[in-house]
């Protein structure tokens, strides 16, 4: 049953460029489908978060992560009576703006772009879906609905203070009401992101042998999960044991989010999606107890995984790739692909050129960035 505060496609605020509606799909379904068919979405297959794409076939990529986020988001959305298609569209698109090499690549590109307005992956996602995907005859970008764009811009909360330039530029054309919270669907997509990466980073770290199963079994939440598995399945195979424990951990997080959301929605008693936007706090979040436990788990991952010696070496290497590709293209913009040169010729300032170079590098996959660095800069 659809809740009164769910986003209703029949009442959607429309697209920047008006289009005839589909006979068979709602506007949010069309948004989701356009995202899935976007070039930037396909490139997520070869972009990673912690490990470089070629290091192993079993580590999550941005694509598999986005699919996992969408699955979690649909589950939570369904339990709360929200619009599943809008939730899924925001979940699938939330990582489109990420650079190659995960947060390491983003940090390096942000440093290169500091003199030119900076770089922000959420704002870059908006830039991709409103400009850089250039396949349609009548518009640049994907011409997504206001609700999906709002979700991408604000899924982590209101955008206050200094607004990233890429987001500010679009917002002048299509006001996304950055000062308010996003719809409950977008908030669900954001928390689903947290659920997914908290789960799969533990799994990937185990596979990379950066820590042991016994160490995980001592962490909050996980200790109870392992205890339950050991009680039900004494002597279980090592790999099955940790899988059973991690899937229980996954379930604890999802159930915590749904349970707290039901309480907070009951207290707020929203009668429309605008009541969600006007609230003075996020509706979809972890409970305080689970949030504190997750802080302990994240601290463990930061120390044992994100700053593991092997990962630190990788971070240094890929940072160099971005730091050398950026000035190379700034000095030799003629070496950008043919379809980018029209924008280069239209650039009037160094900042204009820097933002074109940033767009190009941000869109690279891990593999392609390494190949281009070798070809253009050398080892």
């Amino acid at each position: 049953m659809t809740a009164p505060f769910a986003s209703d496609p029949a009442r959607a605020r429309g697209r920047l460029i008006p289009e005839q509606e589909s006979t068979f799909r709602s506007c949010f379904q069309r948004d989701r489908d356009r995202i899935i068919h976007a070039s930037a979405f396909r490139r997520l297959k070869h972009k990673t978060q912690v490990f470089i794409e070629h290091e192993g076939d079993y580590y999550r990529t941005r694509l598999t992560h986005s699919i996992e986020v969408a699955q979690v988001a649909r589950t939570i959305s369904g339990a709360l009576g929200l619009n599943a298609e809008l939730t899924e569209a925001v979940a699938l698109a939330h990582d489109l703006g990420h650079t190659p090499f995960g947060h390491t690549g983003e940090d390096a590109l942000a440093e290169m772009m500091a003199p030119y307005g900076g770089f922000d992956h959420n704002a870059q996602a908006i830039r991709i879906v409103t400009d850089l995907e250039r396949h349609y005859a009548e518009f640049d970008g994907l011409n997504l609905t206001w609700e999906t764009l709002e979700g991408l811009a604000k899924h982590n909360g209101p955008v206050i203070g200094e607004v990233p330039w890429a987001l500010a530029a679009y917002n002048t054309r299509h006001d996304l009401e950055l000062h308010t919270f996003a719809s409950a669907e977008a908030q669900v997509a954001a928390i689903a992101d947290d659920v997914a990466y908290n789960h799969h980073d533990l799994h990937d770290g185990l596979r990379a042998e950066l820590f042991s199963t016994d160490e995980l079994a001592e962490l909050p939440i996980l200790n109870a999960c392992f205890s339950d598995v050991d009680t039900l399945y004494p002597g279980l195979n090592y790999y099955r044991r940790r899988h059973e424990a991690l899937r229980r951990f996954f379930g604890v997080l999802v159930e915590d989010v749904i349970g707290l959301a039901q309480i907070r929605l009951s207290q707020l008693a929203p009668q429309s999606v605008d009541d969600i936007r006007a609230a003075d706090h996020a509706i979809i979040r972890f409970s305080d107890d689970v949030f504190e436990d997750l802080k302990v788990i994240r601290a463990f991952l930061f120390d044992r995984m994100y700053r593991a010696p092997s990962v630190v070496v990788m971070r240094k290497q890929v940072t160099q790739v971005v730091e050398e590709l950026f000035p190379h293209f700034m000095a030799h913009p003629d070496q950008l692909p043919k379809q980018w040169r029209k924008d280069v010729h239209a650039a009037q300032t160094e900042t204009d050129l820097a933002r074109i170079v940033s767009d190009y590098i941000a869109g690279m996959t891990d593999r392609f960035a390494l190949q281009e660095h070798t070809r253009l800069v050398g080892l």
Side-chain angles (χ1 to χ4, degrees), residues 165-177:
W165 71 267
L167 177 55
Y170 183 76
N171 200 59
T172 60
R173 302 164 55 205
H174 198 187
D175 184 8
L176 299 177
E177 300 176 4

Side-chain angles (χ1 to χ4, degrees), residues 190 305 337:
M305 183 174 180

Side-chain angles (χ1 to χ4, degrees), residues 41-77:
F41 186 75
R42 291 195 297 275
R43 287 196 298 272
L44 296 180
K45 177 182 179 182
H46 296 295
K47 291 189 177 188
T48 48
Q49 300 185 147
V50 178
F51 301 96
I52 298 179
E53 182 269 328
H54 68 267
E55 288 190 338
D57 291 337
Y58 291 99
Y59 302 124
R60 266 72 170 192
T61 66
R62 291 280 178 195
L63 180 61
T64 58
H65 167 69
S66 296
I67 293 171
E68 290 178 14
V69 172
Q71 177 265 314
V72 176
R74 285 190 68 97
T75 297
I76 299 173
S77 182

Side-chain angles (χ1 to χ4, degrees), residues 20 23 30 36 38 50 69 90 119 131 148 156 159 176 181 193 217 231 304 311 356 362 364:
Q20 183 177 351
T23 304
R30 293 180 80 189
I36 290 173
V50 178
V69 172
V90 177
F119 178 87
D131 184 10
T148 299
N156 289 324
V159 183
L176 299 177
F181 281 92
D193 183 26
T231 299
R304 300 299 301 277
V311 176
I356 294 167
M364 290 181 172

Side-chain angles (χ1 to χ4, degrees), residues 86-244:
L86 175 59
T87 309
E88 188 176 25
V90 177
L92 290 171
H94 82 282
D95 266 358
L96 289 180
H98 273 289
T99 65
F101 315 127
H103 292 292
T104 301
E106 180 177 2
D107 291 344
L109 190 56
E111 184 176 346
M112 294 291 98
M113 284 294 294
Y116 310 107
F119 178 87
D120 176 88
H121 73 265
N122 283 327
Q124 188 68 13
I126 291 288
R127 186 159 168 78
I128 287 169
V129 300
T130 61
D131 184 10
L132 299 180
E133 285 283 328
R134 298 175 180 173
H135 307 296
Y136 294 87
E138 298 182 356
F139 48 79
D140 289 338
L142 305 180
N143 200 33
L144 303 177
T145 61
W146 186 94
E147 286 78 4
T148 299
L149 294 174
E150 177 212 28
L152 290 179
K154 301 188 299 187
H155 62 275
N156 289 324
V159 183
I160 55 179
E162 185 176 356
V163 179
W165 71 267
L167 177 55
Y170 183 76
N171 200 59
T172 60
R173 302 164 55 205
H174 198 187
D175 184 8
L176 299 177
E177 300 176 4
L178 299 178
H179 61 286
T180 67
F181 281 92
S183 65
E185 286 85 357
Q187 294 184 38
V188 165
I191 204 72
D193 183 26
D194 291 345
V195 171
Y197 74 67
N198 275 295
H199 169 262
H200 66 52
D201 282 1
L202 293 171
H203 194 275
D204 284 352
L206 282 172
R207 184 172 289 278
E209 299 183 345
L210 297 177
F211 42 79
S212 69
T213 301
D214 290 341
E215 289 175 292
L216 282 198
E218 296 177 358
L219 293 172
I221 304 178
L222 286 154
N223 50 14
C225 294
F226 276 99
S227 179
D228 286 347
V229 173
D230 292 341
T231 299
L232 288 170
Y233 309 106
L236 187 65
N237 170 275
Y238 171 83
Y239 293 102
R240 293 177 188 265
R241 176 175 179 257
R242 75 184 191 188
H243 176 81
E244 286 291 330

